[in-house]
Amino acid sequence: MDIYKINFKKWLDEEDLDPDIKKELQSLKEELRAAETNVAAGAESREKAEAEIKERFEKELRFGTGGLRGLLGAGTNRINIYTVRRTTQGICDYIMEDIYIKDAVCAEKSNSAAGKAAAKVPSVVIGYDSRRNSRLFAEAAAGVFAANGIKAYMISDICPVSAVSFAVRKYGCAMGVMITASHNPAEYNGYKVYGPQGAQITDAQARQILKRIDNIDIFADVSWLNFASAKKTEYFDFAGDELMSEYIDAAMAYALPWTEDELAAAKALGALSVVYSPLNGAGRMPVQEVLRRLGVGRIETVKVQEFPDENFSTCPYPNPEKEEAMCEALKLAGKVKPDIVIVTDPDCDRVGVAVAKNGSYRRVTGNEVGLLIFQYIAECRSCGMGSGMPGRPVAARTTVTSSIIDRIAEKYGIEVKKTPTGFKYIGEIIRQLDEQGRESDFIFGIEESCSYLAGPYVRDKDGVSAAALICLLAAKAKAEGMTIAEAIDKIYEEYGYTVSRLIDFEFDALSGMKKTEKIIECFRYQESKAAGGSIAGSRITEIMDYTHGAEGFPKVDMIEYHLENGAEFTVRPSGTEPKLKIYISAGGKSRDEAETLCAAIAEDLKNKVDDIAGGNEYE
Protein backbone atom coordinates (compact mmCIF):
# COMPACT_ATOMS: atom_id res chain seq x y z
CA MET A 1 0.00 0.00 0.00
CA ASP A 2 1.23 3.51 -0.80
CA ILE A 3 2.67 5.43 2.15
CA TYR A 4 0.09 8.22 1.89
CA LYS A 5 -2.73 5.68 2.13
CA ILE A 6 -1.12 4.09 5.19
CA ASN A 7 -0.72 7.47 6.88
CA PHE A 8 -4.26 8.54 5.98
CA LYS A 9 -5.70 5.36 7.50
CA LYS A 10 -3.51 5.70 10.59
CA TRP A 11 -4.89 9.17 11.27
CA LEU A 12 -8.48 8.10 10.64
CA ASP A 13 -8.09 5.13 13.01
CA GLU A 14 -6.48 7.15 15.81
CA GLU A 15 -8.58 7.11 18.98
CA ASP A 16 -9.43 10.44 20.59
CA LEU A 17 -8.42 12.34 17.46
CA ASP A 18 -9.18 16.04 17.69
CA PRO A 19 -12.83 16.48 16.53
CA ASP A 20 -12.01 19.19 13.98
CA ILE A 21 -9.18 17.11 12.48
CA LYS A 22 -11.45 14.05 12.41
CA LYS A 23 -14.17 16.00 10.62
CA GLU A 24 -11.68 17.26 8.03
CA LEU A 25 -10.37 13.74 7.36
CA GLN A 26 -13.87 12.29 7.07
CA SER A 27 -14.68 15.00 4.55
CA LEU A 28 -11.64 14.01 2.45
CA LYS A 29 -12.65 10.35 2.67
CA GLU A 30 -16.21 11.09 1.60
CA GLU A 31 -15.04 13.23 -1.32
CA LEU A 32 -12.87 10.37 -2.56
CA ARG A 33 -15.67 7.81 -2.11
CA ALA A 34 -18.14 10.05 -3.96
CA ALA A 35 -15.69 10.53 -6.83
CA GLU A 36 -15.08 6.77 -7.07
CA THR A 37 -18.79 5.91 -7.18
CA ASN A 38 -19.86 8.75 -9.47
CA VAL A 39 -19.21 7.48 -12.99
CA ALA A 40 -20.33 10.76 -14.50
CA ALA A 41 -17.61 12.60 -12.60
CA GLY A 42 -14.95 10.74 -14.52
CA ALA A 43 -11.33 9.87 -13.81
CA GLU A 44 -10.30 13.50 -13.42
CA SER A 45 -12.52 13.94 -10.36
CA ARG A 46 -11.15 10.78 -8.73
CA GLU A 47 -7.57 11.79 -9.44
CA LYS A 48 -8.16 15.22 -7.93
CA ALA A 49 -9.66 13.77 -4.73
CA GLU A 50 -6.83 11.28 -4.37
CA ALA A 51 -4.18 13.90 -5.15
CA GLU A 52 -5.41 16.01 -2.24
CA ILE A 53 -4.95 13.10 0.19
CA LYS A 54 -1.59 12.25 -1.35
CA GLU A 55 -0.35 15.82 -1.03
CA ARG A 56 -1.31 15.90 2.65
CA PHE A 57 0.02 12.47 3.66
CA GLU A 58 2.79 11.32 1.30
CA LYS A 59 5.41 13.61 2.88
CA GLU A 60 6.09 15.13 6.27
CA LEU A 61 6.41 18.85 6.80
CA ARG A 62 10.18 19.10 7.22
CA PHE A 63 11.88 20.90 10.07
CA GLY A 64 14.81 23.15 9.16
CA THR A 65 16.60 26.32 10.27
CA GLY A 66 13.36 28.23 9.66
CA GLY A 67 11.50 25.71 11.82
CA LEU A 68 8.24 24.62 10.20
CA ARG A 69 6.04 26.49 7.77
CA GLY A 70 3.14 25.15 5.77
CA LEU A 71 -0.55 25.13 4.97
CA LEU A 72 -3.00 24.70 7.82
CA GLY A 73 -4.98 21.48 7.93
CA ALA A 74 -5.02 17.77 8.71
CA GLY A 75 -2.11 15.62 7.55
CA THR A 76 1.59 14.96 8.01
CA ASN A 77 2.39 17.67 5.44
CA ARG A 78 0.28 20.30 7.19
CA ILE A 79 0.51 22.52 10.26
CA ASN A 80 -1.86 21.21 12.94
CA ILE A 81 -1.77 20.40 16.67
CA TYR A 82 -0.20 17.01 15.98
CA THR A 83 2.68 18.24 13.83
CA VAL A 84 3.20 21.04 16.37
CA ARG A 85 3.26 18.60 19.30
CA ARG A 86 5.62 16.21 17.52
CA THR A 87 8.03 19.05 16.68
CA THR A 88 7.85 20.30 20.26
CA GLN A 89 8.62 16.81 21.58
CA GLY A 90 11.70 16.73 19.35
CA ILE A 91 12.81 20.06 20.80
CA CYS A 92 12.21 18.76 24.35
CA ASP A 93 14.39 15.71 23.63
CA TYR A 94 17.09 17.97 22.18
CA ILE A 95 17.00 20.31 25.19
CA MET A 96 17.20 17.49 27.72
CA GLU A 97 19.87 15.52 25.86
CA ASP A 98 22.04 18.25 24.31
CA ILE A 99 21.58 21.43 26.35
CA TYR A 100 20.34 20.73 29.87
CA ILE A 101 22.59 17.75 30.59
CA LYS A 102 25.68 19.62 29.38
CA ASP A 103 24.77 22.69 31.43
CA ALA A 104 24.10 20.58 34.51
CA VAL A 105 27.52 18.91 34.20
CA CYS A 106 29.17 22.34 33.90
CA ALA A 107 27.16 23.57 36.89
CA GLU A 108 28.47 20.75 39.08
CA LYS A 109 32.00 22.00 38.43
CA SER A 110 31.15 25.64 39.07
CA ASN A 111 30.83 27.64 42.26
CA SER A 112 29.40 30.70 40.53
CA ALA A 113 25.80 31.84 40.72
CA ALA A 114 25.54 31.54 36.94
CA GLY A 115 26.86 28.00 37.10
CA LYS A 116 24.35 27.01 39.76
CA ALA A 117 21.54 28.60 37.74
CA ALA A 118 22.42 26.31 34.83
CA ALA A 119 21.42 23.30 36.93
CA LYS A 120 17.88 24.61 37.41
CA VAL A 121 14.88 23.41 35.44
CA PRO A 122 15.35 24.30 31.76
CA SER A 123 12.89 26.77 30.30
CA VAL A 124 11.56 28.09 26.99
CA VAL A 125 9.58 31.13 25.93
CA ILE A 126 6.60 30.87 23.56
CA GLY A 127 5.16 33.69 21.49
CA TYR A 128 2.50 33.81 18.80
CA ASP A 129 0.98 36.22 16.30
CA SER A 130 -2.53 36.88 14.99
CA ARG A 131 -2.76 34.02 12.51
CA ARG A 132 -5.40 31.32 12.50
CA ASN A 133 -4.70 28.79 15.28
CA SER A 134 -1.56 30.61 16.48
CA ARG A 135 -2.82 30.77 20.08
CA LEU A 136 -4.01 27.14 19.86
CA PHE A 137 -0.59 25.97 18.65
CA ALA A 138 1.18 28.01 21.35
CA GLU A 139 -0.96 26.31 23.98
CA ALA A 140 -0.30 22.89 22.42
CA ALA A 141 3.45 23.53 22.55
CA ALA A 142 3.20 24.68 26.20
CA GLY A 143 1.39 21.43 27.05
CA VAL A 144 4.23 19.35 25.60
CA PHE A 145 6.96 21.36 27.34
CA ALA A 146 5.14 21.08 30.68
CA ALA A 147 4.64 17.32 30.30
CA ASN A 148 8.39 16.98 29.69
CA GLY A 149 9.42 18.99 32.75
CA ILE A 150 10.50 22.09 30.82
CA LYS A 151 9.10 25.39 32.03
CA ALA A 152 7.27 27.43 29.40
CA TYR A 153 6.93 31.21 29.64
CA MET A 154 4.09 31.97 27.25
CA ILE A 155 3.65 35.59 26.18
CA SER A 156 0.05 36.37 27.08
CA ASP A 157 -0.97 38.20 23.91
CA ILE A 158 0.11 38.42 20.28
CA CYS A 159 3.62 39.78 19.99
CA PRO A 160 6.38 40.65 17.51
CA VAL A 161 8.80 37.83 16.78
CA SER A 162 11.67 39.96 18.13
CA ALA A 163 9.97 39.96 21.56
CA VAL A 164 10.62 36.21 21.72
CA SER A 165 14.28 36.77 20.89
CA PHE A 166 14.41 39.36 23.70
CA ALA A 167 12.58 37.11 26.19
CA VAL A 168 14.89 34.12 25.62
CA ARG A 169 17.80 36.14 26.96
CA LYS A 170 15.77 37.93 29.65
CA TYR A 171 14.62 34.66 31.23
CA GLY A 172 17.81 32.71 30.48
CA CYS A 173 15.89 30.16 28.43
CA ALA A 174 17.31 27.15 26.64
CA MET A 175 15.22 27.96 23.55
CA GLY A 176 12.34 30.02 22.24
CA VAL A 177 9.36 29.26 19.99
CA MET A 178 7.33 31.69 17.89
CA ILE A 179 4.12 30.52 16.21
CA THR A 180 4.00 32.49 12.97
CA ALA A 181 4.14 32.20 9.21
CA SER A 182 5.48 35.75 9.04
CA HIS A 183 4.25 37.36 5.80
CA ASN A 184 2.62 34.30 4.15
CA PRO A 185 -1.05 34.21 3.11
CA ALA A 186 -3.78 33.37 5.63
CA GLU A 187 -3.80 29.66 4.76
CA TYR A 188 -0.33 29.26 6.30
CA ASN A 189 1.11 29.05 9.77
CA GLY A 190 4.51 28.09 11.12
CA TYR A 191 6.82 27.37 14.03
CA LYS A 192 10.06 29.33 14.36
CA VAL A 193 12.75 28.27 16.85
CA TYR A 194 15.38 30.30 18.72
CA GLY A 195 18.51 29.12 20.49
CA PRO A 196 19.77 30.19 23.95
CA GLN A 197 21.48 33.29 22.52
CA GLY A 198 18.14 34.62 21.24
CA ALA A 199 19.02 34.04 17.57
CA GLN A 200 17.30 31.62 15.22
CA ILE A 201 18.78 28.15 15.52
CA THR A 202 21.81 27.28 13.41
CA ASP A 203 21.91 24.65 10.68
CA ALA A 204 23.72 22.27 13.06
CA GLN A 205 21.07 22.72 15.78
CA ALA A 206 18.27 22.20 13.25
CA ARG A 207 19.83 18.91 12.12
CA GLN A 208 20.06 17.68 15.71
CA ILE A 209 16.43 18.59 16.40
CA LEU A 210 15.29 16.97 13.13
CA LYS A 211 17.09 13.78 14.11
CA ARG A 212 14.95 13.64 17.27
CA ILE A 213 11.73 14.48 15.42
CA ASP A 214 12.32 11.72 12.87
CA ASN A 215 12.39 9.15 15.68
CA ILE A 216 9.05 10.25 17.15
CA ASP A 217 5.72 8.64 16.25
CA ILE A 218 3.29 11.51 15.86
CA PHE A 219 0.74 9.91 18.20
CA ALA A 220 2.45 7.28 20.37
CA ASP A 221 5.69 9.03 21.34
CA VAL A 222 4.53 12.50 22.33
CA SER A 223 4.06 13.42 26.00
CA TRP A 224 1.56 16.24 26.42
CA LEU A 225 -0.95 17.87 28.74
CA ASN A 226 -3.97 19.87 27.73
CA PHE A 227 -3.49 23.57 28.31
CA ALA A 228 -5.80 23.76 31.34
CA SER A 229 -3.72 21.09 33.06
CA ALA A 230 -0.38 22.55 31.96
CA LYS A 231 -1.27 25.92 33.51
CA LYS A 232 -1.68 24.28 36.93
CA THR A 233 1.84 22.85 36.93
CA GLU A 234 5.07 24.48 38.06
CA TYR A 235 6.22 24.25 34.44
CA PHE A 236 4.10 27.11 33.12
CA ASP A 237 3.90 30.85 33.57
CA PHE A 238 2.59 33.78 31.55
CA ALA A 239 4.91 36.56 30.42
CA GLY A 240 2.85 39.67 29.86
CA ASP A 241 2.91 43.45 30.08
CA GLU A 242 6.19 43.67 32.01
CA LEU A 243 8.06 41.75 29.30
CA MET A 244 6.66 43.87 26.48
CA SER A 245 7.45 47.07 28.37
CA GLU A 246 11.07 45.99 28.91
CA TYR A 247 11.36 44.96 25.26
CA ILE A 248 10.17 48.38 24.08
CA ASP A 249 12.49 50.07 26.58
CA ALA A 250 15.42 48.10 25.16
CA ALA A 251 14.50 49.00 21.59
CA MET A 252 14.39 52.67 22.53
CA ALA A 253 17.58 52.56 24.60
CA TYR A 254 19.86 50.52 22.36
CA ALA A 255 18.57 50.88 18.82
CA LEU A 256 17.93 54.60 18.49
CA PRO A 257 20.89 56.95 18.08
CA TRP A 258 19.27 59.66 20.23
CA THR A 259 19.19 60.22 23.99
CA GLU A 260 15.90 61.06 25.74
CA ASP A 261 16.93 64.71 26.00
CA GLU A 262 17.74 64.85 22.28
CA LEU A 263 14.36 63.31 21.46
CA ALA A 264 12.57 65.79 23.67
CA ALA A 265 14.25 68.62 21.80
CA ALA A 266 13.36 67.28 18.37
CA LYS A 267 10.49 69.58 17.42
CA ALA A 268 10.43 68.14 13.90
CA LEU A 269 8.90 64.91 15.26
CA GLY A 270 5.92 66.84 16.53
CA ALA A 271 5.28 68.11 13.01
CA LEU A 272 5.51 64.63 11.46
CA SER A 273 2.39 62.82 10.23
CA VAL A 274 2.30 59.06 9.68
CA VAL A 275 -0.17 56.55 8.27
CA TYR A 276 0.43 53.15 9.88
CA SER A 277 -0.96 49.66 9.34
CA PRO A 278 -0.04 46.54 11.34
CA LEU A 279 -1.72 44.44 8.60
CA ASN A 280 -3.97 42.86 11.24
CA GLY A 281 -0.89 41.67 13.10
CA ALA A 282 1.22 42.01 16.23
CA GLY A 283 2.72 45.44 15.50
CA ARG A 284 -0.25 47.55 16.60
CA MET A 285 0.60 48.02 20.28
CA PRO A 286 4.44 48.19 20.23
CA VAL A 287 4.76 50.32 17.09
CA GLN A 288 2.11 52.79 18.20
CA GLU A 289 3.80 52.95 21.61
CA VAL A 290 7.29 53.74 20.27
CA LEU A 291 5.89 56.37 17.91
CA ARG A 292 4.00 57.92 20.83
CA ARG A 293 7.19 57.94 22.94
CA LEU A 294 9.09 59.56 20.10
CA GLY A 295 6.56 62.37 20.03
CA VAL A 296 5.27 61.84 16.50
CA GLY A 297 2.64 64.53 16.01
CA ARG A 298 -0.01 62.63 14.07
CA ILE A 299 -0.52 58.87 13.70
CA GLU A 300 -3.39 57.66 11.52
CA THR A 301 -3.93 53.90 11.80
CA VAL A 302 -5.69 51.94 9.04
CA LYS A 303 -8.84 50.89 10.92
CA VAL A 304 -9.70 47.79 8.87
CA GLN A 305 -6.20 46.45 9.52
CA GLU A 306 -5.68 47.62 13.11
CA PHE A 307 -6.89 44.53 14.96
CA PRO A 308 -6.39 40.79 14.31
CA ASP A 309 -8.19 39.27 11.35
CA GLU A 310 -7.05 35.69 10.79
CA ASN A 311 -8.35 35.82 7.22
CA PHE A 312 -6.41 39.00 6.37
CA SER A 313 -9.53 40.05 4.48
CA THR A 314 -8.10 43.33 3.15
CA CYS A 315 -4.53 42.08 2.53
CA PRO A 316 -4.58 38.42 1.38
CA TYR A 317 -0.78 38.40 1.04
CA PRO A 318 0.42 40.50 4.03
CA ASN A 319 3.99 40.94 2.82
CA PRO A 320 5.41 44.49 2.94
CA GLU A 321 7.67 43.58 0.01
CA LYS A 322 4.54 43.58 -2.15
CA GLU A 323 2.76 46.80 -3.07
CA GLU A 324 -0.65 45.10 -2.84
CA ALA A 325 -0.10 44.67 0.93
CA MET A 326 -0.04 48.46 1.21
CA CYS A 327 -3.23 49.16 -0.73
CA GLU A 328 -5.40 50.14 2.26
CA ALA A 329 -2.61 52.26 3.78
CA LEU A 330 -2.05 54.03 0.46
CA LYS A 331 -5.80 54.59 0.12
CA LEU A 332 -5.85 56.32 3.52
CA ALA A 333 -2.69 58.25 2.65
CA GLY A 334 -4.42 59.65 -0.41
CA LYS A 335 -7.02 61.19 1.93
CA VAL A 336 -4.96 62.43 4.88
CA LYS A 337 -1.69 63.26 3.04
CA PRO A 338 0.89 62.07 5.61
CA ASP A 339 4.64 62.57 5.38
CA ILE A 340 5.22 58.84 5.34
CA VAL A 341 3.35 55.51 5.21
CA ILE A 342 4.53 52.54 7.31
CA VAL A 343 3.22 48.95 7.39
CA THR A 344 4.46 45.96 9.39
CA ASP A 345 3.75 42.31 8.60
CA PRO A 346 1.74 40.03 10.95
CA ASP A 347 4.69 39.12 13.21
CA CYS A 348 6.13 42.64 12.91
CA ASP A 349 9.60 41.74 11.72
CA ARG A 350 9.32 43.33 8.26
CA VAL A 351 8.55 46.95 7.49
CA GLY A 352 7.17 48.45 4.30
CA VAL A 353 7.41 52.18 3.54
CA ALA A 354 5.76 54.46 1.01
CA VAL A 355 6.53 58.13 0.45
CA ALA A 356 5.03 61.07 -1.38
CA LYS A 357 6.31 61.71 -4.89
CA ASN A 358 4.79 63.74 -7.70
CA GLY A 359 1.43 64.06 -5.99
CA SER A 360 0.98 60.39 -5.10
CA TYR A 361 2.62 57.78 -2.86
CA ARG A 362 5.06 55.11 -4.00
CA ARG A 363 6.49 52.13 -2.13
CA VAL A 364 10.17 52.40 -1.28
CA THR A 365 12.17 49.20 -1.79
CA GLY A 366 13.58 47.29 1.16
CA ASN A 367 17.08 48.17 0.03
CA GLU A 368 16.30 51.90 -0.16
CA VAL A 369 14.77 51.94 3.32
CA GLY A 370 17.85 50.13 4.63
CA LEU A 371 20.17 52.64 3.00
CA LEU A 372 18.23 55.52 4.56
CA ILE A 373 18.31 53.98 8.04
CA PHE A 374 22.00 53.06 7.85
CA GLN A 375 23.02 56.48 6.54
CA TYR A 376 20.97 58.11 9.31
CA ILE A 377 22.44 55.93 12.10
CA ALA A 378 26.01 56.39 10.84
CA GLU A 379 25.61 60.15 10.55
CA CYS A 380 24.00 60.54 14.00
CA ARG A 381 26.51 58.35 15.78
CA SER A 382 29.50 59.97 14.07
CA CYS A 383 28.22 63.33 15.34
CA GLY A 384 28.27 62.00 18.91
CA MET A 385 24.51 61.68 19.33
CA GLY A 386 23.19 59.10 21.77
CA SER A 387 25.99 56.73 22.76
CA GLY A 388 28.11 57.85 19.80
CA MET A 389 30.06 55.60 17.45
CA PRO A 390 31.65 52.53 19.08
CA GLY A 391 35.39 52.04 18.74
CA ARG A 392 35.15 49.22 16.18
CA PRO A 393 31.66 49.54 14.65
CA VAL A 394 30.21 46.63 12.70
CA ALA A 395 27.30 46.40 10.28
CA ALA A 396 26.05 43.27 8.53
CA ARG A 397 24.24 42.66 5.27
CA THR A 398 23.24 39.62 3.27
CA THR A 399 24.96 39.08 -0.08
CA VAL A 400 21.77 39.94 -1.98
CA THR A 401 21.43 43.31 -0.21
CA SER A 402 22.58 46.53 -1.92
CA SER A 403 26.35 47.00 -2.03
CA ILE A 404 25.81 50.74 -1.43
CA ILE A 405 25.80 49.72 2.25
CA ASP A 406 29.53 49.04 1.85
CA ARG A 407 30.17 52.52 0.42
CA ILE A 408 28.31 54.24 3.25
CA ALA A 409 30.21 52.12 5.77
CA GLU A 410 33.56 53.02 4.21
CA LYS A 411 32.78 56.73 4.58
CA TYR A 412 32.09 56.37 8.32
CA GLY A 413 34.77 53.77 9.15
CA ILE A 414 32.34 50.91 9.75
CA GLU A 415 33.27 47.29 9.06
CA VAL A 416 30.71 45.38 6.98
CA LYS A 417 30.30 41.64 7.40
CA LYS A 418 28.48 39.83 4.58
CA THR A 419 26.30 36.78 5.19
CA PRO A 420 24.20 34.32 3.19
CA THR A 421 20.50 35.10 2.77
CA GLY A 422 18.65 34.72 6.06
CA PHE A 423 18.65 37.02 9.08
CA LYS A 424 19.75 34.15 11.31
CA TYR A 425 23.25 34.63 9.95
CA ILE A 426 23.23 38.26 11.07
CA GLY A 427 22.11 37.05 14.50
CA GLU A 428 25.11 34.71 14.47
CA ILE A 429 27.45 37.67 13.85
CA ILE A 430 26.06 39.44 16.93
CA ARG A 431 26.60 36.25 18.96
CA GLN A 432 30.22 36.07 17.80
CA LEU A 433 30.79 39.72 18.72
CA ASP A 434 29.22 39.07 22.12
CA GLU A 435 31.68 36.23 22.76
CA GLN A 436 34.51 38.65 21.97
CA GLY A 437 33.12 41.22 24.42
CA ARG A 438 32.15 43.46 21.48
CA GLU A 439 28.36 43.22 21.44
CA SER A 440 27.98 47.01 21.56
CA ASP A 441 30.05 47.33 18.36
CA PHE A 442 27.11 46.00 16.34
CA ILE A 443 25.12 48.96 15.04
CA PHE A 444 23.07 47.70 12.08
CA GLY A 445 21.93 44.63 10.16
CA ILE A 446 19.95 44.58 6.91
CA GLU A 447 18.36 42.06 4.58
CA GLU A 448 16.78 43.45 1.42
CA SER A 449 13.44 41.79 2.26
CA CYS A 450 12.38 44.83 4.35
CA SER A 451 14.27 43.46 7.37
CA TYR A 452 16.39 45.57 9.74
CA LEU A 453 17.98 45.54 13.18
CA ALA A 454 19.70 48.51 14.81
CA GLY A 455 21.61 47.42 17.93
CA PRO A 456 22.17 44.09 19.69
CA TYR A 457 19.23 44.12 22.14
CA VAL A 458 17.63 41.27 20.13
CA ARG A 459 19.11 38.80 17.66
CA ASP A 460 16.54 38.95 14.87
CA LYS A 461 15.03 41.57 12.60
CA ASP A 462 12.74 44.00 14.39
CA GLY A 463 9.97 46.04 12.81
CA VAL A 464 9.34 48.03 15.99
CA SER A 465 12.68 49.85 16.20
CA ALA A 466 12.81 50.09 12.39
CA ALA A 467 9.47 51.95 12.35
CA ALA A 468 10.85 54.36 14.96
CA LEU A 469 14.03 54.98 12.98
CA ILE A 470 12.05 55.59 9.80
CA CYS A 471 10.06 58.30 11.61
CA LEU A 472 13.25 59.87 12.98
CA LEU A 473 14.90 60.13 9.58
CA ALA A 474 11.65 61.34 8.01
CA ALA A 475 11.42 64.10 10.62
CA LYS A 476 15.04 65.07 9.99
CA ALA A 477 14.44 65.25 6.24
CA LYS A 478 11.32 67.34 6.77
CA ALA A 479 13.18 69.75 9.05
CA GLU A 480 15.76 70.18 6.29
CA GLY A 481 13.05 70.92 3.73
CA MET A 482 13.50 67.61 1.95
CA THR A 483 11.15 64.71 1.16
CA ILE A 484 12.14 61.07 1.71
CA ALA A 485 12.13 60.57 -2.06
CA GLU A 486 14.68 63.37 -2.36
CA ALA A 487 16.74 61.87 0.48
CA ILE A 488 16.93 58.59 -1.48
CA ASP A 489 18.04 60.45 -4.62
CA LYS A 490 20.70 62.19 -2.55
CA ILE A 491 22.14 58.80 -1.47
CA TYR A 492 22.29 57.62 -5.09
CA GLU A 493 23.96 60.86 -6.15
CA GLU A 494 26.63 60.51 -3.45
CA TYR A 495 27.31 56.79 -3.60
CA GLY A 496 26.40 55.83 -7.17
CA TYR A 497 23.35 54.46 -8.92
CA THR A 498 22.89 50.78 -8.07
CA VAL A 499 19.35 49.45 -8.17
CA SER A 500 18.10 46.06 -7.04
CA ARG A 501 15.15 43.93 -7.98
CA LEU A 502 13.67 40.64 -6.79
CA ILE A 503 11.79 38.35 -9.14
CA ASP A 504 10.18 35.25 -7.72
CA PHE A 505 8.43 32.25 -9.17
CA GLU A 506 5.77 30.30 -7.29
CA PHE A 507 4.85 26.72 -8.20
CA ASP A 508 2.11 24.34 -7.07
CA ALA A 509 2.57 22.69 -3.70
CA LEU A 510 2.75 19.09 -4.94
CA SER A 511 5.52 19.41 -7.53
CA GLY A 512 6.94 22.83 -6.71
CA MET A 513 9.94 21.77 -4.63
CA LYS A 514 11.11 19.34 -7.33
CA LYS A 515 10.63 22.00 -9.98
CA THR A 516 12.75 24.54 -8.10
CA GLU A 517 15.47 21.90 -7.66
CA LYS A 518 15.42 21.26 -11.41
CA ILE A 519 15.70 24.97 -12.20
CA ILE A 520 18.62 25.42 -9.81
CA GLU A 521 20.44 22.45 -11.36
CA CYS A 522 19.85 23.78 -14.87
CA PHE A 523 21.27 27.16 -13.90
CA ARG A 524 24.21 25.48 -12.22
CA TYR A 525 24.98 23.42 -15.35
CA GLN A 526 24.06 25.74 -18.20
CA GLU A 527 25.62 28.91 -16.84
CA SER A 528 28.86 27.24 -15.77
CA LYS A 529 29.82 25.86 -19.19
CA ALA A 530 33.45 26.48 -20.09
CA ALA A 531 32.47 29.00 -22.75
CA GLY A 532 30.42 30.94 -20.18
CA GLY A 533 26.80 31.96 -20.52
CA SER A 534 25.37 35.40 -21.06
CA ILE A 535 22.41 37.32 -19.69
CA ALA A 536 20.80 40.24 -21.50
CA GLY A 537 23.78 40.33 -23.86
CA SER A 538 26.44 40.49 -21.12
CA ARG A 539 28.86 37.63 -20.54
CA ILE A 540 28.98 35.86 -17.16
CA THR A 541 32.50 36.41 -15.80
CA GLU A 542 32.30 34.73 -12.38
CA ILE A 543 30.09 32.18 -10.64
CA MET A 544 30.02 31.53 -6.91
CA ASP A 545 28.19 28.36 -5.93
CA TYR A 546 27.54 28.39 -2.18
CA THR A 547 26.09 24.87 -2.15
CA HIS A 548 29.41 23.45 -1.01
CA GLY A 549 30.49 26.55 0.91
CA ALA A 550 32.23 29.64 -0.44
CA GLU A 551 34.01 32.67 1.06
CA GLY A 552 33.87 31.05 4.48
CA PHE A 553 30.06 30.84 4.36
CA PRO A 554 28.14 27.76 5.53
CA LYS A 555 26.68 25.50 2.85
CA VAL A 556 23.58 27.16 1.40
CA ASP A 557 21.62 26.45 -1.77
CA MET A 558 22.47 29.65 -3.61
CA ILE A 559 24.38 30.55 -6.78
CA GLU A 560 25.76 34.04 -7.45
CA TYR A 561 26.62 35.29 -10.96
CA HIS A 562 28.74 38.30 -11.93
CA LEU A 563 28.32 39.85 -15.39
CA GLU A 564 30.83 41.65 -17.58
CA ASN A 565 28.85 44.89 -17.32
CA GLY A 566 29.19 44.87 -13.51
CA ALA A 567 25.68 43.60 -12.78
CA GLU A 568 25.05 40.62 -10.50
CA PHE A 569 22.24 38.17 -9.89
CA THR A 570 21.69 35.40 -7.33
CA VAL A 571 19.45 32.36 -7.73
CA ARG A 572 18.10 30.49 -4.72
CA PRO A 573 15.05 28.44 -3.76
CA SER A 574 12.86 29.45 -0.84
CA GLY A 575 13.57 27.35 2.21
CA THR A 576 9.92 27.13 3.26
CA GLU A 577 7.76 27.34 0.12
CA PRO A 578 7.73 26.02 -3.48
CA LYS A 579 9.29 29.24 -4.76
CA LEU A 580 12.39 30.30 -6.63
CA LYS A 581 13.90 33.71 -5.98
CA ILE A 582 16.30 35.66 -8.17
CA TYR A 583 17.94 38.81 -6.83
CA ILE A 584 19.32 41.29 -9.39
CA SER A 585 21.67 44.22 -8.85
CA ALA A 586 22.67 46.60 -11.66
CA GLY A 587 24.41 49.96 -11.85
CA GLY A 588 24.57 52.85 -14.27
CA LYS A 589 25.48 56.50 -14.73
CA SER A 590 21.91 57.46 -13.85
CA ARG A 591 18.98 55.83 -12.10
CA ASP A 592 17.16 55.36 -15.42
CA GLU A 593 20.18 53.62 -16.93
CA ALA A 594 20.53 51.29 -13.94
CA GLU A 595 16.81 50.46 -13.91
CA THR A 596 16.78 49.80 -17.67
CA LEU A 597 19.66 47.32 -17.32
CA CYS A 598 18.02 45.70 -14.30
CA ALA A 599 14.75 45.27 -16.23
CA ALA A 600 16.54 43.70 -19.22
CA ILE A 601 18.30 41.17 -16.99
CA ALA A 602 15.01 40.37 -15.23
CA GLU A 603 13.23 39.77 -18.54
CA ASP A 604 15.94 37.44 -19.81
CA LEU A 605 16.01 35.48 -16.55
CA LYS A 606 12.22 35.15 -16.51
CA ASN A 607 12.32 33.64 -19.99
CA LYS A 608 15.00 31.17 -18.97
CA VAL A 609 13.08 30.04 -15.89
CA ASP A 610 9.87 29.68 -17.90
CA ASP A 611 11.72 27.52 -20.44
CA ILE A 612 13.07 25.23 -17.74
CA ALA A 613 9.81 25.03 -15.81
CA GLY A 614 8.00 24.20 -19.03
CA GLY A 615 10.41 21.37 -19.79
CA ASN A 616 12.36 23.20 -22.51
CA GLU A 617 15.86 23.44 -21.06
CA TYR A 618 17.57 26.31 -22.81
CA GLU A 619 20.88 26.16 -24.62
Side-chain angles (χ1 to χ4, degrees), residues 158-216:
I158 61 173
C159 68
V161 68
S162 51
V164 171
S165 173
F166 179 81
V168 167
R169 299 173 72 213
K170 169 181 166 60
Y171 294 120
C173 294
M175 304 199 87
V177 168
M178 177 72 181
I179 307 297
T180 178
S182 190
H183 54 281
N184 285 73
E187 297 79 18
Y188 285 79
N189 212 327
Y191 187 114
K192 188 179 285 189
V193 184
Y194 291 81
Q197 302 297 325
Q200 292 181 50
I201 54 172
T202 64
D203 296 338
Q205 288 172 314
R207 286 193 294 270
Q208 290 301 315
I209 294 170
L210 178 59
K211 190 184 299 182
R212 268 71 173 192
I213 295 171
D214 283 344
N215 291 326
I216 295 169

Side-chain angles (χ1 to χ4, degrees), residues 273-275 298 300 331-338 361:
S273 61
V274 178
V275 160
R298 181 184 177 196
E300 296 278 355
K331 194 185 300 181
L332 179 58
K335 296 176 182 177
V336 302
K337 306 299 181 185
Y361 288 82

Side-chain angles (χ1 to χ4, degrees), residues 563-586:
L563 305 183
E564 193 172 26
N565 58 15
E568 302 173 6
F569 69 94
T570 300
V571 183
R572 64 176 285 266
S574 167
T576 55
E577 305 165 77
K579 285 185 177 181
L580 181 81
K581 297 186 175 185
I582 301 181
Y583 306 82
I584 305 165
S585 176

